[in-house]
């Protein structure tokens, strides 16, 4: 368990990374925002990349825990997917386009590898859940799960394109739009009929 100072630094880094992105946030700003010193930062973290990886891990683990709780609910799969879509929207609150761009289209291979490994864990569980839903009749039997995952990847790649993200004032709105398009295509959700 991290010390209180390390915890404050993690919270500070997440707040600033979400707001300005990783590149535009300095170690001095993280320490100042956490009401501690740069020396305290280096006692707890090697560098900005180290704290960025820990922020990502904390965030992804938290989101994955909530995802697992939703998938364990005793409700139809379609309702679970709506809740998951809302979870992704809620969890993306306050994330800047800069942060999302840096994570999804990161040139830093170590940070990108770390994010990919975390995403792979989440995706493996999601794929298992899709196969189970298909087995239970919630997803068409004639559709390949690999096709669904490929389409999700293509939709997620839109978050790296200025032409797409510029249509929305906040990343959370773009994420919600992508989720709704994935679930409903161009038709309104059934409860709005």
């Amino acid at each position: 368990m991290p010390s209180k100072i390390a915890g404050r630094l993690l919270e500070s880094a997440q707040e600033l990374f979400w707001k300005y992105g990783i590149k535009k946030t300095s170690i001095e700003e993280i320490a100042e925002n956490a009401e501690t010193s740069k020396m305290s930062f280096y006692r707890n973290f090697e560098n900005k990349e180290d704290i960025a990886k820990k922020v990502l891990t904390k965030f992804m683990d938290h989101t994955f825990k909530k995802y697992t709780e939703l998938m364990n609910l005793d409700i139809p799969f379609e309702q679970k997917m709506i809740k998951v879509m809302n979870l992704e929207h809620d969890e993306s609150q306050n994330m800047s386009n800069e942060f999302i761009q840096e994570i999804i289209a990161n040139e830093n291979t170590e940070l990108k590898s770390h994010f990919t490994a975390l995403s792979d864990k989440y995706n493996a569980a999601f794929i298992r859940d899709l196969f189970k839903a298909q087995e239970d009749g919630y997803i068409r039997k004639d559709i390949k799960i690999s096709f669904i995952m490929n389409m999700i990847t293509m939709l997620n790649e839109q978050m790296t394109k200025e032409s797409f993200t510029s249509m929305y004032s906040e990343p959370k709105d773009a994420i919600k739009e992508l989720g709704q398009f994935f679930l409903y295509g161009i038709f309104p959700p059934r409860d709005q009929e």
Side-chain angles (χ1 to χ4, degrees):
M1 178 163 213
S3 69
K4 286 183 181 180
I5 290 174
R8 285 198 336 248
L9 286 163
L10 278 170
E11 287 177 21
S12 172
Q14 180 173 329
E15 177 187 330
L16 294 171
F17 291 163
W18 264 225
K19 195 172 191 178
Y20 305 111
I22 298 167
K23 288 180 186 173
K24 291 182 181 176
T25 301
S26 69
I27 290 170
E28 292 82 3
E29 290 167 325
I30 294 168
E32 184 179 311
N33 192 47
E35 298 178 351
T36 191
S37 67
K38 191 173 171 182
M39 187 182 298
S40 291
F41 177 94
Y42 283 111
R43 279 192 203 116
N44 290 278
F45 304 99
E46 292 176 29
N47 51 37
K48 190 165 57 167
E49 185 172 282
D50 180 39
I51 198 168
K53 288 184 345 189
K54 287 182 171 70
V55 164
L56 274 175
T57 301
K58 180 181 167 209
F59 172 74
M60 296 286 280
D61 286 350
H62 169 77
T63 304
F64 183 70
K65 180 177 183 252
K66 285 186 166 191
Y67 167 82
T68 303
E69 289 169 1
L70 290 175
M71 295 311 289
N72 288 328
L73 293 175
D74 189 22
I75 57 176
F77 186 76
E78 184 177 352
Q79 289 177 17
K80 290 178 185 182
M81 287 295 92
I82 291 167
K83 289 184 178 295
V84 167
M85 182 183 66
N86 289 333
L87 169 67
E88 289 183 1
H89 177 260
D90 293 346
E91 293 298 313
S92 65
Q93 296 286 340
N94 304 318
M95 277 187 191
S96 66
N97 278 329
E98 290 81 8
F99 176 77
I100 291 171
Q101 296 293 327
E102 287 174 357
I103 296 306
I104 294 175
N106 196 315
E107 296 165 8
N108 177 330
T109 55
E110 190 173 333
L111 190 57
K112 185 169 185 105
S113 295
H114 185 72
F115 176 70
T116 300
L118 292 170
S119 296
D120 287 348
K121 174 184 164 185
Y122 181 86
N123 286 338
F126 184 59
I127 289 168
R128 279 192 309 273
D129 291 333
L130 289 175
F131 274 115
K132 174 84 169 88
Q134 190 174 47
E135 186 179 293
D136 293 343
Y138 290 110
I139 295 176
R140 290 184 0 225
K141 300 274 187 206
D142 64 332
I143 194 165
K144 295 179 190 234
I145 300 302
S146 57
F147 169 79
I148 294 171
M149 293 306 295
N150 192 306
M151 294 307 295
I152 290 171
T153 299
M154 287 174 55
L155 289 172
N156 285 339
E157 286 171 358
Q158 295 304 305
M159 291 301 297
T160 66
K161 297 180 180 175
E162 173 80 23
S163 60
F164 175 75
T165 57
S166 66
M167 291 188 276
Y168 301 91
S169 59
E170 306 219 14
K172 66 183 173 98
D173 297 330
I175 290 167
K176 186 171 186 174
E177 187 88 270
L178 288 172
Q180 288 178 336
F181 183 74
F182 172 72
L183 284 178
Y184 307 113
I186 61 171
F187 300 106
R190 284 188 214 146
D191 63 348
Q192 292 181 11
E193 292 177 343

